[in-house]
Every structure is written in structure tokens, then in C-alpha cells.
């Protein structure tokens, strides 16, 4: 299932959410809607964890047999069991919205929704729940960057038309 990004853009593009699970730009759903101060704490925790992993790997090189495979297995499990969003601004940069873009129409399985260009710029596209592509009301759900529609995301997006 693909999504077309067309309209008042220099380069219309086609998005394929089924391959985003392998993309390094994806963000876990929980991280996408945490405040800046919480993210700073998470960054410190990530640095601490990376340091511990480094120390463990140096130590494990001295062990026989090495046990690095358990770390990669854990990371693989996180990817295959996680719920992820993709920030759409990565793709909007490639499509190059024209300066006179005034709004956005989202064509969904339930009809059309109108949002602002700023809402689209800050939007997060939910594409995987529990490591699997969204089948019902998919291929993506749109969440605004401020989290204002977390209870009622825009579901079943088929086409994004910049006006």
C-alpha cells in the first residue's frame, strides 16, 4: 500500500510505508510525543546505555565464546515488536513544497480532511504497530506533532495533496 504526495510540490513522490521498518529515521511511538526535557533525560540514559554496551563488548572480547549475538538479538526483537512513526518532514524536503502552498488535503478511506501546511510539516506517520504494518485503516495514521489528535488520529491516508 502506497501513498502519493502530490499537488503544489516540485517533485511528486510515492511513499511506501512497508519498508520504513528498516529506515534509521523512524522513531518509536513513545519517543515521538515526549517533551524536550524528557527527551534530554532519555538522551542521557541512551549515552549511559551505550557506554555500558561498549564496556560489555570490550569485556566480552576476552570471554570465550563471545556473546555479542544476544545484544543484536535484543535489538532485532525491539524492531520487530515496536510501534513506530516516521516524521513526514524528511519526505516533504524531497518533494520541495512551493512557497505559495496554502493547505493540505488528505484523502482517506473515510473521506477528505483538510489540515495546514505547518500541521503536515510537524506530523508523524504511524506505520507499524507491534512490528507489523497497519492493515486496518492503513497504511498510515497521521498524528500531529503536538499530540493534539492522539486520541483521534487521521486514519487510512491514501493520498496527500498540497494546495
Amino acid at each position: 500500500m502506497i501513498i502519493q504526495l502530490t499537488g503544489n510540490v516540485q517533485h511528486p513522490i510515492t511513499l511506501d510505508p512497508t519498508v520504513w521498518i528498516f529506515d534509521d529515521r523512524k522513531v518509536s511511538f513513545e519517543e515521538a510525543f515526549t517533551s524536550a526535557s524528557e527527551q534530554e533525560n532519555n538522551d542521557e540514559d541512551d549515552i549511559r546505555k551505550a557506554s555500558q554496551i561498549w564496556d560489555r563488548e570490550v569485556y566480552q572480547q576476552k570471554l570465550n565464546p563471545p556473546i555479542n549475538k544476544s545484544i543484536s538479538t535484543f535489538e532485532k526483537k525491539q524492531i520487530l515488536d515496536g510501534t513506530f512513526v516516521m516524521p513526514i518532514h524528511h519526505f516533504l524536503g524531497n518533494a520541495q513544497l512551493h512557497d505559495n502552498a496554502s493547505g493540505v488535503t488528505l484523502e482517506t478511506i473515510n473521506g477528505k480532511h483538510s489540515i495546514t501546511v505547518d500541521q503536515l510539516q510537524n506530523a508523524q506517520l504511524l506505520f507499524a504497530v507491534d512490528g507489523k504494518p497497519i492493515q486496518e485503516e492503513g497504511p498510515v495514521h497521521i498524528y500531529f506533532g503536538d499530540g493534539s489528535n492522539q486520541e483521534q488520529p487521521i486514519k487510512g491516508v491514501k493520498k496527500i495533496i498540497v494546495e
Side-chain angles (χ1 to χ4, degrees):
M1 294 170 46
I2 59 171
I3 302 167
Q4 294 179 346
L5 175 59
T6 63
N8 197 4
V9 296
Q10 189 162 354
H11 307 287
I13 59 176
T14 302
L15 306 173
D16 185 359
T18 59
V19 298
W20 291 347
I21 197 74
F22 304 109
D23 197 316
D24 291 336
R25 299 173 293 183
K26 71 181 177 297
V27 179
S28 73
F29 186 78
E30 296 79 27
E31 289 178 23
F33 299 106
T34 57
S35 68
S37 62
E38 289 176 11
Q39 281 190 341
E40 287 177 16
N41 291 338
N42 288 343
D43 289 344
E44 291 174 10
D45 290 341
D46 290 343
I47 292 170
R48 190 175 307 112
K49 287 177 187 175
S51 173
Q52 289 172 349
I53 289 171
W54 174 261
D55 291 342
R56 188 180 315 136
E57 287 185 11
V58 170
Y59 173 73
Q60 287 173 356
Q61 288 176 357
K62 297 175 185 174
L63 295 177
N64 196 10
I67 48 177
N68 287 339
K69 291 184 181 179
S70 63
I71 294 171
S72 62
T73 303
F74 174 73
E75 291 172 348
K76 180 180 176 183
K77 183 166 174 50
Q78 278 185 316
I79 290 173
L80 295 177
D81 293 341
T83 299
F84 296 104
V85 296
M86 179 67 75
I88 195 170
H89 66 82
H90 298 296
F91 306 109
L92 297 178
N94 291 338
Q96 297 180 357
L97 278 63
H98 290 127
D99 293 336
N100 63 349
S102 59
V104 178
T105 300
L106 304 172
E107 288 185 9
T108 70
I109 57 176
N110 299 322
K112 295 183 179 184
H113 298 273
S114 295
I115 63 172
T116 67
V117 174
D118 287 336
Q119 285 176 316
L120 182 65
Q121 287 278 2
N122 297 315
Q124 307 280 342
L125 303 177
L126 177 73
F127 67 92
V129 176
D130 298 330
K132 295 174 181 53
I134 298 173
Q135 297 298 325
E136 285 188 34
E137 297 182 316
V140 297
H141 299 173
I142 293 187
Y143 289 85
F144 299 139
D146 60 2
S148 62
N149 71 332
Q150 270 190 311
E151 299 299 319
Q152 296 289 325
I154 300 171
K155 298 180 179 182
V157 178
K158 301 289 185 191
K159 191 172 191 178
I160 301 170
I161 305 166
V162 179
E163 299 167 351

